[in-house]
């Protein structure tokens, strides 16, 4: 899918209620999981001990941290949309976030987004993005929720 280009609040507003786009897939490899464990100091065996996971995990594999899956949101979001004429964009919050299914080491995920709402707060666009992180070849989503971003247009 082609990246959506936004140049103004008015262009953004036309997308309310519509699917904005779908990212490419990205693999959550064991190496990426281990690096995330190192960065967050979360070395729970279910994430990093591949041998133990084969026998003791109900998944028979290590799984990505839920927050690793969530942390991929900005990278995947940047594949979907490019907003011009900005001073800055900041993450404002998350609502109704739900982890639906574990992502096994080596599986690939992608992001599907819809512009849920857009509010003009005196020149600042508050965008609520309904998102789903999908796992390749799986019906159930890894993660769903609403991400809120503030866009400060020039």
């Amino acid at each position: 899918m082609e990246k959506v280009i936004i140049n103004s609040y008015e262009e953004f507003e036309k997308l309310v209620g519509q699917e904005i786009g779908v990212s490419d897939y990205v693999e959550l490899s064991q190496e990426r999981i281990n690096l995330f464990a190192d960065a967050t100091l979360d070395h729970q065996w279910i994430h990093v001990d591949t041998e133990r996971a084969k026998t003791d995990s109900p998944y028979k594999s290590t799984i990505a941290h839920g927050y690793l899956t969530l942390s991929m949101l900005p990278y995947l979001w940047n594949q979907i949309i490019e907003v011009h004429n900005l001073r800055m964009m900041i993450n404002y919050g998350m609502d109704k976030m739900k982890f639906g299914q574990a992502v096994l080491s080596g599986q690939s995920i992608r992001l599907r987004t819809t512009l849920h709402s857009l509010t003009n707060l005196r020149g600042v666009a508050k965008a609520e993005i309904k998102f789903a992180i999908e796992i390749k070849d799986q019906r159930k989503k890894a993660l769903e929720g609403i991400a809120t971003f503030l866009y400060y247009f020039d």
Side-chain angles (χ1 to χ4, degrees), residues 13 39 52 57 147:
E13 193 171 38
R52 182 175 177 191
S57 167

Side-chain angles (χ1 to χ4, degrees), residues 73 77 89-94 125-129 147-151:
L73 189 65
W77 176 240
M89 185 271 295
I90 60 172
N91 297 320
Y92 188 70
M94 293 282 175
K126 178 183 171 189
E128 293 184 333
I129 312 298
T148 305
F149 302 106
L150 298 179
Y151 289 90

Side-chain angles (χ1 to χ4, degrees), residues 8 11 50 58 63 79 93 96 99 104 112 132 135 143 146 151:
S8 68
E11 287 181 15
T50 56
I63 61 171
Q79 292 181 14
K96 302 179 182 176
F99 294 99
L104 306 183
R112 181 177 300 274
I135 305 168
L143 177 61
I146 297 175
Y151 289 90

Side-chain angles (χ1 to χ4, degrees), residues 4-40:
V4 173
I5 306 295
I6 301 293
N7 294 298
S8 68
Y9 179 88
E10 292 74 24
E11 287 181 15
F12 215 173
E13 193 171 38
K14 291 176 184 174
L15 296 174
V16 172
Q18 296 181 42
E19 181 172 276
I20 299 171
V22 180
S23 73
D24 293 332
Y25 282 104
V26 64
E27 181 185 344
L28 296 188
S29 66
Q30 188 61 51
E31 179 182 13
R32 188 183 306 268
I33 292 167
N34 292 344
L35 289 168
F36 189 83
D38 290 343
T40 60

Side-chain angles (χ1 to χ4, degrees), residues 44-47 49-63 102 104:
Q44 185 181 170
W45 70 266
I46 193 78
H47 304 302
D49 190 337
T50 56
E51 291 308 309
R52 182 175 177 191
K54 287 177 187 176
T55 58
D56 293 352
S57 167
Y59 305 105
K60 303 302 178 201
S61 170
T62 55
I63 61 171
L104 306 183

